[in-house]
């Protein structure tokens, strides 16, 4: 009986295009039923070929190795389709080479008096090359039983439906075996076997870390299959353990997931300080920051729904009241920065139904690249209804398929939607119920009207009611009072003064009337006028730009002053318009 580790020169095509299947280093766990299926398919009197269908990483090769351990009577060879395609070059030569390959396999069986099993992974590569290649392999499959050859083909579901399923005669020559990913118990057994083989089993007191590896990979790697994704994580942990001596514990697991996936499973936010940190950058929005902080408590305590994104919030209110600033502060609080970890979409760019594919592509691509982030969908009511409905799947189960039909996980994202819907309600609040703290007392009185206004915005299906039903929290923002605008602009002026000192070594003095000019004479407290954004833009246009021009023209000056020249309307109620303006000069 032929038992050499390699094929000899008597079978040149077999030795050139295939290799002895590598023996399993251990007993394969959890595939006993599939092994029996495969053995039974090869014991049929005629059509004894099998087709293994499974997602990549499920363990197709491992199953064949396990079958080989139980089947000592046959020789198992692994054929390489990529090598075949490369050697053949074109479809006609491929057909000729396949015929010679199988003829040689039949001769081997007769000469060596031993049945042969040919395992062909990525089987679709042969089929997709040409019709001639398909026709060459059909008679081999039909007569394999009488020739002493067994063929085990393997491919994924996607490739099967694309290349193999349309050819029904080919399908009928293969016994289909579906290989499902192993469950948690089986995957843990596989990981335990790995740990013993790598001599790190003594690092684990129980199966707690194994269970966490399984749960985290299920949550954050939906496009990959078990057990491969769990094996890869454990393998990376072993590498770090050997290099640094670190314990194989949750801390190491957290670091491995952070480095490989950008996933921070070791949540390090101080739940007691969330609101204080939000209030540090968002002024006079006590109700809004309280609502957001309250929702984040679930994530900090790890009690949020694990089948959905970490949190989803709809921020409502007029333009310039702090919705975007709160979202930026949320990204800083959770991830340490508001640049890389804040993924922003201006939904007015996706107003047409035809933009749905572009939106799906951009969204899944950005989240695939960085799965641990705050997603901001700005002015959601301006998006096409078809685009908006894509978010339903994201909010429902935290995943969406990309251009390659690969599942992308949103489970580690924080979803923030903003809307200006209900502007007429906020205009009423600004006019008759101003609130310098944003305590929410007035907002709560108008809560039903605000929600009704948002619902009416969804009448054209751009903002479907079912989307509102999937959002964790609706967060209203109080229109900004004059005092709040004053506070915001004052802080911006301080920041400008500090920046000028650091960059140009120039000290800046500001007349007290500058703030009065910007807020009382130039600012518009109408809730639709742009809020803080407009006030800051006015400061930039008249003050910061004036300072920049003066510094550029007088680089030797080391102290300057900003004054208001002229009479302010706020000082003289008889004036209709102000004749005042900003003037920058050297201070001597």
């Amino acid at each position: 009986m032929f038992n050499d580790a390699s094929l000899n020169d008597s079978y040149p095509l077999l030795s050139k295009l295939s290799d002895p299947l590598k023996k399993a280093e251990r007993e394969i766990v959890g595939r006993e039923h599939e092994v029996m299926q495969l053995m039974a398919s090869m014991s049929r009197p005629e059509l004894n070929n099998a087709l293994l269908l499974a997602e990549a990483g499920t363990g197709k090769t491992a199953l064949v190795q396990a079958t080989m351990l139980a089947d000592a009577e046959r020789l198992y060879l692994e054929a390489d389709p990529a090598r075949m395609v490369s050697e053949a070059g074109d479809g006609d030569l491929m057909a000729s080479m396949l015929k010679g390959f199988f003829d040689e396999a039949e001769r081997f069986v007769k000469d060596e008096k031993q049945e042969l099993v040919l395992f062909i992974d990525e089987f679709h590569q042969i089929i997709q090359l040409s019709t001639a290649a398909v026709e060459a392999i059909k008679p081999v499959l039909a007569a394999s039983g009488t020739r002493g050859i067994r063929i085990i083909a393997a491919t994924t579901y996607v490739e099967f439906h694309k290349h193999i399923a349309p050819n029904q005669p080919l399908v009928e020559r293969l016994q289909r075996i579906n290989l499902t990913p192993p469950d948690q118990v089986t995957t843990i057994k596989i990981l335990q076997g790995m740990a013993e083989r790598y001599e790190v089993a003594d690092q684990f007191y129980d199966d707690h870390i194994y269970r966490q590896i399984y749960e985290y990979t299920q949550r954050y790697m939906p496009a990959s299959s078990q057990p491969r994704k769990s094996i890869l994580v454990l393998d990376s942990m072993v590498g770090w353990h050997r290099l640094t001596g670190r314990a194989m514990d949750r801390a190491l697991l957290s670091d491995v997931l952070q480095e490989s996936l950008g996933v921070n499973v070791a949540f390090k936010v101080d739940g007691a300080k969330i609101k204080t940190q939000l209030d540090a950058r968002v002024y006079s929005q006590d109700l809004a920051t309280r609502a957001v902080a309250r929702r984040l408590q679930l994530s900090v305590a790890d009690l949020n729904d694990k089948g959905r994104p970490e949190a989803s919030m709809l921020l409502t209110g007029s333009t310039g009241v702090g919705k975007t600033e709160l979202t930026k502060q949320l990204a800083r609080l959770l991830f340490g920065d508001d640049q890389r970890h804040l993924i922003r979409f201006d939904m007015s760019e996706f107003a047409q139904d035809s933009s749905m594919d572009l939106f799906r592509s951009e969204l899944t691509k950005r989240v695939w690249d960085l799965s641990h982030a705050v997603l901001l969908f700005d002015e959601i009511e301006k998006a096409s209804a078809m685009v908006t409905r894509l978010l339903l799947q994201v909010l429902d189960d935290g995943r969406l398929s990309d251009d390659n039909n690969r599942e992308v996980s949103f489970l580690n994202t924080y979803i923030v939607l903003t809307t200006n819907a209900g502007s007429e309600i906020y205009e009423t609040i600004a006019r008759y119920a101003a609130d310098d703290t944003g305590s929410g007392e007035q907002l709560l009185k108008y809560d039903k009207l605000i929600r009704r206004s948002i619902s009416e915005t969804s009448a054209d299906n751009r903002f479907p009611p079912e989307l509102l039903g999937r959002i964790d929290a609706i967060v209203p923002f109080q229109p900004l009072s004059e005092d709040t605008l004053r506070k915001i602009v004052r802080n911006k002026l301080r920041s400008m003064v500090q920046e000028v000192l650091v960059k140009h070594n120039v000290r800046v003095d500001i007349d007290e009337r500058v703030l009065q000019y910007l807020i009382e004479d130039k600012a518009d407290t109408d809730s639709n006028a742009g809020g803080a954004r407009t006030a800051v833009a006015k400061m930039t246009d008249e003050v910061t730009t004036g300072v920049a021009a003066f510094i550029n023209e007088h680089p030797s000056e080391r102290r300057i002053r900003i004054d208001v020249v002229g009479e302010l309307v706020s000082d003289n109620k008889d004036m209709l318009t102000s004749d005042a303006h900003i003037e920058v000069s050297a201070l001597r």
Side-chain angles (χ1 to χ4, degrees):
M1 182 177 291
F2 184 87
N3 56 11
D4 198 337
S6 61
L7 299 172
N8 58 36
D9 294 338
S10 301
Y11 313 101
L13 277 177
L14 278 178
S15 60
K16 188 176 185 179
L17 301 177
S18 63
D19 299 294
L21 185 67
K22 183 181 178 182
K23 291 186 179 295
E25 297 179 8
R26 65 195 186 282
E27 183 180 349
I28 307 299
V29 176
R31 291 300 187 194
E32 293 79 11
H33 176 69
E34 288 86 352
V35 168
M36 291 297 294
Q37 275 187 291
L38 194 49
M39 292 285 286
S41 71
M42 293 192 297
S43 300
R44 296 169 65 184
E46 293 188 10
L47 296 181
N48 41 33
N49 311 296
L51 175 64
L52 303 182
L53 284 179
E55 299 301 340
T58 308
K60 298 185 289 293
T61 301
L63 172 61
V64 180
Q65 289 174 329
T67 306
M68 182 174 68
L69 288 176
D71 184 13
E73 298 302 317
R74 299 184 179 100
L75 175 67
Y76 282 69
L77 298 180
E78 184 172 13
D80 187 344
R83 204 188 310 173
M84 291 180 176
V85 172
S86 177
E87 290 286 338
D90 63 49
D92 291 335
L93 287 177
M94 181 70 170
S96 176
M97 189 176 68
L98 280 174
K99 184 179 185 305
F101 177 77
F102 289 116
D103 286 345
E104 195 169 285
E106 183 177 6
R107 182 162 59 83
F108 171 90
V109 171
K110 291 179 179 177
D111 292 347
E112 304 298 334
K113 303 295 189 292
Q114 184 178 20
E115 288 191 349
L116 190 61
V117 178
L118 296 173
F119 173 47
I120 310 176
D121 201 3
E122 307 292 343
F123 181 63
H124 61 274
Q125 291 185 8
I126 297 175
I127 305 306
Q128 72 184 87
L129 185 62
S130 72
T131 303
V134 175
E135 295 308 313
I137 205 170
K138 279 182 184 177
V140 176
L141 293 171
S144 60
T146 60
R147 301 173 76 176
I149 303 170
R150 308 290 188 268
I151 294 176
I152 302 175
T155 190
T156 64
Y157 290 103
V158 172
E159 301 296 351
F160 170 78
H161 290 296
K162 186 176 181 180
H163 300 293
I164 301 173
N167 195 318
Q168 186 61 26
L170 178 63
V171 173
E172 290 174 351
R173 287 166 169 78
L174 296 161
Q175 173 69 39
R176 174 174 169 174
I177 297 177
N178 293 316
L179 195 59
T180 58
D183 59 15
Q184 182 178 29
V185 172
T186 302
T187 303
I188 288 175
K189 288 180 180 178
I190 293 171
L191 296 179
Q192 288 171 329
M194 279 184 62
E196 291 175 3
R197 192 165 71 259
Y198 294 153
E199 299 181 347
V200 294
D202 60 331
Q203 290 281 317
F204 301 93
Y205 298 104
D206 52 30
D207 66 356
H208 181 66
I209 298 298
Y210 300 124
R211 282 190 287 111
Q212 287 192 318
I213 291 174
Y214 178 86
E215 290 168 2
Y216 285 143
T217 53
Q218 285 291 93
R219 179 175 171 82
Y220 299 120
M221 300 171 68
S224 301
S225 298
Q226 297 289 6
R228 179 186 292 175
K229 55 187 175 183
S230 288
I231 289 173
L232 290 175
V233 170
L234 180 60
D235 190 63
S236 184
M237 290 178 67
V238 171
W240 278 106
H241 168 70
R242 288 177 175 174
L243 179 66
T244 65
R246 291 184 60 181
M248 300 281 286
D249 55 14
R250 188 175 186 273
L252 181 56
L253 172 59
S254 299
D255 287 347
V256 164
L257 292 174
Q258 178 73 59
E259 291 170 3
S260 60
L261 302 175
V263 171
N264 179 16
V265 297
F267 206 85
K268 297 174 182 177
V269 175
D270 186 342
K273 297 180 179 178
I274 293 175
K275 188 176 187 308
T276 302
Q277 291 174 302
L278 293 176
D279 287 335
R281 298 294 291 267
V282 182
Y283 301 122
S284 303
Q285 295 294 354
D286 183 69
L287 177 65
T289 56
R290 188 165 66 246
V292 172
R294 183 175 178 80
R295 185 62 189 77
L296 290 183
Q297 297 297 334
L298 288 172
S299 295
V300 175
D302 197 29
L303 296 176
N304 55 303
D305 186 344
K306 298 301 184 291
R308 302 177 63 202
E310 289 280 353
S312 59
M313 294 169 280
L314 174 64
L315 311 187
T316 76
S318 310
T319 299
V321 293
K323 300 190 296 294
T324 301
E325 187 58 43
L326 178 59
T327 308
K328 289 181 178 179
Q329 184 65 355
L330 182 62
R332 295 186 197 106
L333 171 65
L334 294 170
F335 310 121
D337 78 275
D338 60 4
Q339 299 297 317
R340 183 166 178 262
H341 286 87
L342 175 59
I343 300 174
R344 181 173 180 172
F345 291 89
D346 181 351
M347 300 308 288
S348 63
E349 297 178 4
F350 305 99
Q352 304 300 319
D353 288 351
S354 58
S355 64
M356 183 184 70
D357 289 339
L358 174 62
F359 177 68
R360 177 194 291 272
S361 178
E362 288 297 314
L363 177 58
T364 52
K365 187 185 304 178
R366 299 285 299 278
V367 175
W368 177 267
D369 292 342
L370 185 68
S371 62
H372 201 68
V374 173
L375 301 182
L376 172 59
F377 301 99
D378 216 1
E379 297 187 294
I380 184 65
E381 76 280 1
K382 294 183 179 179
S384 152
M386 292 179 67
V387 169
T388 305
R389 278 181 162 75
L390 276 181
L391 294 177
L392 293 177
Q393 185 178 344
V394 172
L395 294 172
D396 256 345
D397 58 10
R399 60 196 65 203
L400 191 66
S401 296
D402 66 7
D403 296 341
N404 301 311
N405 203 32
R406 173 183 59 186
E407 277 194 351
V408 176
S409 173
F410 287 74
L411 296 176
N412 213 41
T413 63
Y414 296 78
I415 309 289
V416 178
L417 304 92
T418 70
T419 180
N420 296 329
S423 58
E424 71 284 357
I425 308 297
Y426 289 104
E427 188 174 353
T428 301
I429 296 172
R431 187 173 300 171
Y432 302 111
D435 185 346
D436 291 336
T437 66
S439 63
E441 292 181 8
Q442 300 301 328
L443 284 176
L444 291 175
K445 295 178 182 179
Y446 288 90
D447 182 65
K448 288 184 178 179
L449 288 177
I450 292 171
R451 288 174 178 267
R452 187 181 303 162
S453 180
I454 295 173
S455 298
E456 290 171 356
T457 303
S458 67
D460 62 354
N461 288 323
R462 282 176 172 264
F463 201 162
E466 55 266 36
L467 184 67
L468 289 177
R470 286 165 172 79
I471 291 171
D472 296 328
I474 297 178
V475 182
F477 278 65
Q478 175 79 31
L480 300 183
S481 67
E482 190 174 281
D483 283 346
T484 300
L485 286 175
R486 188 183 302 274
K487 183 190 300 183
I488 292 170
V489 175
R490 180 185 291 114
N491 281 338
K492 290 292 183 181
L493 286 170
R494 287 174 180 167
S495 297
M496 184 270 293
V497 169
Q498 181 64 24
E499 187 176 15
V500 170
L501 179 61
V502 170
K503 291 183 176 179
H504 300 283
N505 193 28
V506 174
R507 295 185 179 277
V508 181
D509 291 352
I510 302 178
D511 178 18
E512 290 182 359
R513 294 206 311 160
V514 170
L515 198 58
Q516 182 182 349
Y517 167 80
L518 291 172
I519 299 302
E520 298 181 27
D521 274 38
K522 293 298 182 180
D524 190 341
T525 56
D526 187 296
S527 66
N528 294 319
R533 187 174 291 121
T534 300
V536 171
K538 179 64 67 175
M539 184 204 96
T540 301
D541 182 52
E542 298 208 26
V543 178
T544 310
T545 302
V547 170
F550 187 88
I551 290 173
N552 293 337
E553 293 171 8
H554 306 88
S556 62
E557 296 291 347
R558 289 291 166 263
R559 191 157 190 177
I560 62 178
R561 179 174 177 81
I562 305 172
D563 289 294
V564 175
V565 177
E567 190 171 7
L568 298 172
V569 171
S570 52
D571 287 339
N572 185 349
K573 303 301 181 183
D574 293 331
M575 293 180 63
L576 295 178
T577 59
S578 172
D579 62 0
H581 64 276
I582 296 294
E583 185 174 276
V584 181
S585 60
L587 182 64
R588 304 195 183 280

